[in-house]
């Protein structure tokens, strides 16, 4: 409340809610408070950033469901000139991998799509299951069904695939 930004509190909350394979930290400003937010300042201070770094490091020390360490990816929206340096401190040094910058909220969708395609599995798996009228699975994986995927993230859109005994995959 009051227009302050608390990266530390957000990351501590995520750390206690996990584990996760990846955490996206979206922000439109530098941290101006930490902890429970009783110490605030309208300007970013080293202590606010350091508290956020410690909380981000605790999140990154966790093991996600995939068995790998949790990755914290910073996403800055309309940040001030050097604010990306604070974002790097909680995520990592590489723009386009550890952190992303979006000039404004109008470009955020494209930024999030880039993150998903870069960091998540780049295929869509389709498995056809046949159920009876009670919702019980009669056949766990049925071959011979044709599916068409379309959209600006599907390679060769529209793309048509026929399922095999192990399903089918669309490249994204």
């Amino acid at each position: 409340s009051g227009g302050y930004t608390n990266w530390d509190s957000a990351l501590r909350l995520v750390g206690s809610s996990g584990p996760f394979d990846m955490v996206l930290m979206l922000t439109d400003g530098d941290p101006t408070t930490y902890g429970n937010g009783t110490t605030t300042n309208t300007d970013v201070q080293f202590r606010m950033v350091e508290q956020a770094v410690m909380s981000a490091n605790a999140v990154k020390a966790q093991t996600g469901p995939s068995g790998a360490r949790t990755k914290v990816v910073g996403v800055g929206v309309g940040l001030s000139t050097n604010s990306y340096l604070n974002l790097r401190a909680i995520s990592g040094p590489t723009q386009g991998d550890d952190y992303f910058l979006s000039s404004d909220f109008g470009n955020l969708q494209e930024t999030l799509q880039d993150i998903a395609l870069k960091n998540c599995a780049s295929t869509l798996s389709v498995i056809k299951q046949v159920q009876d009228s009670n919702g019980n699975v009669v056949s766990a994986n049925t071959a011979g069904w044709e599916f068409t995927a379309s959209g600006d993230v599907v390679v060769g859109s529209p793309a048509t695939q026929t399922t095999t005994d192990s399903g089918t995959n669309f490249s994204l």
Side-chain angles (χ1 to χ4, degrees):
S1 66
Y4 300 112
T5 303
N6 193 336
W7 292 5
D8 169 52
S9 180
L11 289 162
R12 280 189 296 113
L13 179 63
V14 167
S16 66
S17 303
F20 303 102
D21 288 322
M22 179 184 288
V23 172
L24 293 180
M25 168 68 181
L26 280 76
T27 186
D28 64 352
D30 289 302
T32 55
T33 189
Y34 65 94
N36 63 9
T38 57
T39 302
T40 59
N41 192 316
T42 55
D43 298 318
V44 64
Q45 295 179 346
F46 182 74
R47 183 168 189 173
M48 282 68 167
V49 176
E50 273 303 298
Q51 293 293 324
V53 168
M54 288 188 291
S55 294
N57 288 344
V59 171
K60 291 187 272 187
Q62 295 179 358
T63 301
S66 70
R69 295 278 186 204
T70 300
K71 181 174 180 155
V72 173
V73 176
V75 180
V77 182
L79 296 180
S80 300
T81 302
N82 289 321
S83 295
Y84 76 94
L85 296 169
N86 295 328
L87 201 58
R88 286 174 46 162
I90 65 162
S91 58
T94 308
Q95 184 174 354
D97 185 43
D98 298 318
Y99 72 96
F100 294 78
L101 300 175
S102 181
S103 59
D104 55 47
F105 284 101
N107 295 326
L108 184 57
Q109 178 180 344
E110 182 180 331
T111 301
L112 294 175
Q113 185 176 1
D114 290 345
I115 293 169
L117 291 174
K118 180 173 181 54
N119 292 289
C120 300
S122 59
T123 60
L124 170 68
S125 299
V126 177
I127 298 173
K128 174 66 176 174
Q129 294 182 337
V130 177
Q131 299 177 349
D132 64 18
S133 60
N134 295 320
N136 300 313
V137 175
V138 176
S139 178
N141 202 359
T142 306
W145 288 80
E146 190 174 277
F147 290 89
T148 301
S150 62
D152 60 353
V153 297
V154 179
V155 174
S157 177
T160 301
Q161 301 279 350
T162 303
T163 58
T164 65
D165 289 340
S166 59
T168 190
N169 294 302
F170 292 96
S171 296
L172 303 179

